[in-house]
Amino acid sequence: LGQIKTAKKPILENFDLYFSPSSLIVPSLTNYPTVVMIHDFSAIKFPHLHKLKTQLLEKFFMSSALKKTRKIITPSESTKNDILAKYNLPESKIAVIPHGLETLFFPLHNMLKLEQILNNFSANDRGISKDGFYLFVGTIEPRKNLTTLLLAYKKYKQTGGSKKLLIIGKNGWNFNQIFQLHKNLNLGQDVFFLQNISSQDLPLFYS
């Protein structure tokens, strides 16, 4: 509702350009000069992996937003090609600008801090070592392809693999099916879910 109000009368009336990093509503419903960011076509190509709300928003606003906006930014050639394949737009209207890299993802080497975090998680009791584990970071929901990850990890264990798998992230849409598969595959002693890791501590796991 707030975005629709903004489309009718922006908070700042004297502006040169409205940049929309995620929403399609303002570029679609307004005649103001806009630039829109399209991160991916996941909800259009794989609607069953998204909430109905997300599907409907992209269904009703995507086409109009892309046609009316001054410029479209995508983070990859893949998303650019998806847009061109579905909509009759000039290629020159789309600019590919990769996502930036936060310092959050820079390596850290405070192994003592990592050991403290793992100890708080009773890592030693669970067989998790700072010297080697597999790591997933992201929202726990079907579109993150966690089903494939768990099935692949199960095969890894069946062939003698010994490293543990850590999954860091908050529960998202329809997360229960992920936990149910985890249970069905009997991975309770090998795959662990961590949901209270701060952004400041994440680089330790990446490192």
Side-chain angles (χ1 to χ4, degrees):
L1 181 59
Q3 293 179 46
I4 293 176
K5 290 180 179 179
T6 300
K8 292 181 178 179
K9 187 177 181 179
I11 297 174
L12 299 174
E13 295 187 357
N14 297 319
F15 61 92
D16 297 315
L17 192 69
Y18 182 96
F19 173 60
S20 183
S22 58
S23 173
L24 299 170
I25 295 177
V26 174
S28 178
L29 297 182
T30 184
N31 290 320
Y32 298 106
T34 64
V35 171
V36 65
M37 179 85 182
I38 304 297
H39 297 274
D40 60 57
F41 252 38
S42 178
I44 292 176
K45 297 177 70 175
F46 310 104
H48 61 288
L49 298 179
H50 290 266
K51 296 179 181 178
L52 180 60
K53 174 185 175 181
T54 303
Q55 298 177 42
L56 293 176
L57 282 173
E58 299 214 356
K59 178 179 180 181
F60 289 111
F61 293 110
M62 179 69 80
S63 178
S64 177
L66 295 185
K67 290 178 181 178
K68 294 177 68 175
T69 192
R70 295 279 185 89
K71 198 76 173 180
I72 302 164
I73 298 175
T74 72
S76 68
E77 291 289 341
S78 177
T79 301
K80 173 184 174 180
N81 292 335
D82 285 337
I83 294 173
L84 293 175
K86 187 171 179 62
Y87 299 102
N88 183 25
L89 297 170
E91 185 175 357
S92 59
K93 191 175 185 178
I94 306 173
V96 177
I97 304 176
H99 289 142
L101 185 62
E102 292 188 48
T103 54
L104 166 67
F105 300 106
F106 291 1
L108 296 177
H109 302 288
N110 189 344
M111 290 299 101
L112 178 60
K113 177 66 173 177
L114 179 56
E115 285 182 357
Q116 292 175 345
I117 296 172
L118 293 177
N119 286 337
N120 290 337
F121 184 63
S122 301
N124 291 334
D125 296 338
R126 304 183 190 210
I128 301 171
S129 169
K130 66 180 177 62
D131 297 322
F133 52 80
Y134 294 111
L135 178 67
F136 169 91
V137 178
T139 307
I140 300 172
E141 59 185 11
R143 72 189 184 96
K144 298 298 184 178
N145 211 16
L146 279 164
T147 296
T148 301
L149 175 61
L150 291 177
L151 291 172
Y153 182 80
K154 180 66 175 182
K155 290 185 177 180
Y156 163 77
K157 291 296 296 183
Q158 291 173 337
T159 58
S162 60
K163 292 183 180 180
K164 307 295 184 178
L165 170 62
L166 303 186
I167 296 178
I168 298 177
K170 296 181 180 180
N171 294 340
W173 172 72
N174 207 11
F175 66 89
N176 285 326
Q177 65 175 266
I178 305 298
F179 289 113
Q180 186 60 51
L181 178 61
H182 172 259
K183 180 180 179 180
N184 293 343
L185 293 175
N186 193 29
L187 293 174
Q189 301 301 313
D190 299 297
V191 179
F192 303 102
F193 294 86
L194 287 72
Q195 298 188 333
N196 296 308
I197 303 299
S198 69
S199 57
Q200 290 77 21
D201 289 334
L202 266 180
L204 294 169
F205 288 86
Y206 293 136
S207 300

